[in-house]
């Protein structure tokens, strides 16, 4: 579809004439680590003689949030490449399915992210994709802590129902969604590397929300596709080149708990390669405004 649009003369414009865009996002599923978990990694680092990690783990014993409360570290990495991103936080209540942290505990962190120019968006819970009341409740809960409107959305586990989820998101006042993608493979679920406004075939009307397609998710490489780092990069590079060819947008999801080891190295490779190509690398809201 994007090839057809390009051949038909469709040429999206990005700031400063940049050739294509990258939508960088982070789903924050967890920010706490249990003491036994930290103790295990301390012992493992000690026996592996990984002194820096051993020290970091020891220092984290006094805080449940560390090391997964690594938002400033992520922003610092992206800033090196002239990029910003969206942090998608869950706003569940105790007893809700998938509840793992209280968003009220992260008021300071959300303020730091927003004040620095990065975006805070909603990562909807297990049922929010098909439950309008739950969706609105979670949105209000996050906005109360953040202190201003939330524009973007992605549902947990990429759960989605066409066209209901889009209709609910538009009704709830979201500007964009970036749930629409595959968990088990790379690529574009709707055959496009361009944001689009969905169309409701039942009503025969356009839905008032922008969908930014998701093309790459960190866990897809290892968990679903069983790719080693070399092969993962080869496929990623081809996707980046394709999006550049059609002046599109590459949607990327990198969880905060994947900012280490080979996954961190791959993320940095993506940032460096896209930066070299002059890509516009920002969060979802900036792309909707563009």
């Amino acid at each position: 579809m994007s090839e057809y649009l390009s051949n038909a003369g469709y040429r999206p414009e990005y700031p400063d004439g940049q050739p294509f865009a990258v939508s960088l996002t982070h789903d924050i599923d967890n920010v706490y680590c249990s003491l036994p978990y930290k103790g295990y990694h301390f012992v493992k680092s000690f026996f592996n003689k990984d002194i820096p990690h051993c020290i970091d783990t020891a220092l984290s014993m006094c805080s449940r949030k560390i090391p997964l409360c690594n938002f400033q570290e992520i922003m610092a990495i992206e800033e090196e490449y002239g990029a910003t991103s969206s942090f998608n936080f869950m706003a569940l209540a105790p007893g809700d399915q998938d509840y793992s942290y209280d968003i009220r505990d992260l008021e300071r962190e959300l303020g730091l992210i927003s004040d620095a120019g990065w975006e805070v968006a909603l990562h909807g819970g297990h049922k929010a994709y098909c439950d309008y009341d739950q969706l609105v409740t979670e949105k209000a809960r996050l906005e109360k802590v953040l202190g201003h409107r939330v524009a973007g959305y992605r549902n947990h586990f990429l759960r989605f129902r066409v066209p209901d989820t889009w209709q609910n998101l538009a009704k709830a006042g979201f500007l964009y969604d970036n749930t629409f993608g595959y968990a088990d493979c790379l690529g574009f679920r709707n055959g496009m590397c361009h944001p689009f406004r969905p169309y409701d075939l039942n009503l025969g009307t356009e839905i008032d929300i922008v969908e930014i397609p998701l093309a790459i998710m960190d866990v897809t490489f290892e968990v679903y596709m069983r790719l080693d780092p070399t092969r993962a990069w080869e496929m990623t590079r081809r996707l980046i080149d394709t999006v550049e060819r059609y002046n599109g947008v590459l949607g990327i999801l990198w969880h905060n708990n994947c900012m280490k080891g080979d996954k961190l190295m791959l993320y940095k490779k993506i940032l460096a390669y896209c930066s070299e190509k002059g890509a516009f690398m920002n969060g979802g809201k900036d792309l909707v405004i563009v």
Side-chain angles (χ1 to χ4, degrees), residues 1-3 5 180 182 187-194 196 213:
M1 180 62 74
S2 285
E3 182 179 9
L5 292 172
F180 210 56
Y182 294 116
F188 302 97
R189 186 171 173 178
N190 68 326
M192 289 177 61
C193 63
H194 292 99
F196 63 94

Side-chain angles (χ1 to χ4, degrees), residues 166-167 170 196-201 203-210:
W166 281 320
Q167 293 283 17
F196 63 94
R197 289 193 180 275
Y199 192 81
D200 189 334
L201 293 174
L203 299 177
T205 58
E206 186 179 82
I207 303 173
D208 188 21
I209 193 165
V210 174

Side-chain angles (χ1 to χ4, degrees), residues 27-274:
D27 287 357
I28 313 302
D29 297 336
N30 294 284
V31 295
Y32 303 142
C33 285
S34 67
L35 195 59
Y37 176 91
K38 293 177 183 178
Y40 166 77
H41 281 275
F42 174 82
V43 173
K44 183 179 178 181
S45 300
F46 179 80
F47 281 104
N48 289 337
K49 298 181 180 180
D50 185 353
I51 303 304
H53 189 245
C54 193
I55 294 173
D56 288 342
T57 306
L59 292 173
S60 75
M61 294 292 183
C62 62
S63 172
R64 290 190 304 160
K65 296 178 186 177
I66 301 171
L68 297 183
C69 200
N70 54 351
F71 318 127
Q72 287 183 282
E73 290 86 343
I74 294 172
M75 290 190 292
I77 291 170
E78 292 167 350
E79 191 172 21
E80 291 180 23
Y81 300 95
T84 62
S85 64
S86 300
F87 288 86
N88 304 325
F89 285 89
M90 304 185 83
L92 300 174
D96 287 343
Q97 188 174 358
D98 301 319
Y99 174 82
S100 63
Y101 60 87
D102 191 323
I103 192 63
R104 293 173 298 181
D105 293 342
L106 301 175
E107 182 176 1
R108 176 180 176 274
E109 284 79 3
L110 266 58
L112 289 172
I113 291 170
S114 183
D115 291 345
W118 274 249
E119 182 185 7
V120 172
L122 178 63
H123 189 34
H126 206 78
K127 298 178 181 178
Y129 80 102
C130 64
D131 186 330
Y132 176 75
D133 291 337
Q134 180 67 24
L135 175 67
V136 171
T137 297
E138 293 177 21
K139 182 174 185 282
R141 192 176 289 137
L142 177 58
E143 289 176 338
K144 183 177 181 180
V145 176
L146 182 60
H148 60 76
R149 180 187 178 190
V150 171
Y153 183 84
R154 177 184 288 121
N155 206 87
H156 200 35
F157 290 114
L158 305 184
R159 304 192 82 199
F160 206 89
R161 180 185 292 169
V162 175
D164 300 10
T165 303
W166 281 320
Q167 293 283 17
N168 287 341
L169 290 172
K171 183 179 177 182
F174 288 94
L175 294 181
Y176 75 91
D177 171 71
N178 51 23
T179 306
F180 210 56
Y182 294 116
D184 57 353
C185 64
L186 307 181
F188 302 97
R189 186 171 173 178
N190 68 326
M192 289 177 61
C193 63
H194 292 99
F196 63 94
R197 289 193 180 275
Y199 192 81
D200 189 334
L201 293 174
N202 297 324
L203 299 177
T205 58
E206 186 179 82
I207 303 173
D208 188 21
I209 193 165
V210 174
E211 180 64 40
I212 303 174
L214 174 64
I216 297 175
M217 181 169 66
D218 45 24
V219 297
T220 301
F221 298 109
E222 183 179 357
V223 175
Y224 294 101
M225 299 183 71
R226 309 292 184 185
L227 299 178
D228 61 40
T230 300
R231 182 64 175 148
W233 169 241
E234 289 174 355
M235 295 190 70
T236 300
R237 181 170 50 80
R238 280 207 298 269
L239 263 182
I240 295 170
D241 291 344
T242 299
V243 173
E244 179 189 28
R245 185 180 310 128
Y246 299 118
N247 306 108
V249 175
L250 183 68
I252 295 177
L253 162 55
W254 226 262
H255 294 81
N256 60 316
N257 60 347
C258 288
M259 290 291 176
K260 56 187 176 182
D262 290 336
K263 291 187 179 69
L264 175 57
M265 295 303 296
L266 179 56
Y267 188 65
K268 288 183 175 180
K269 259 187 172 181
I270 293 171
L271 293 176
Y273 190 63
C274 292

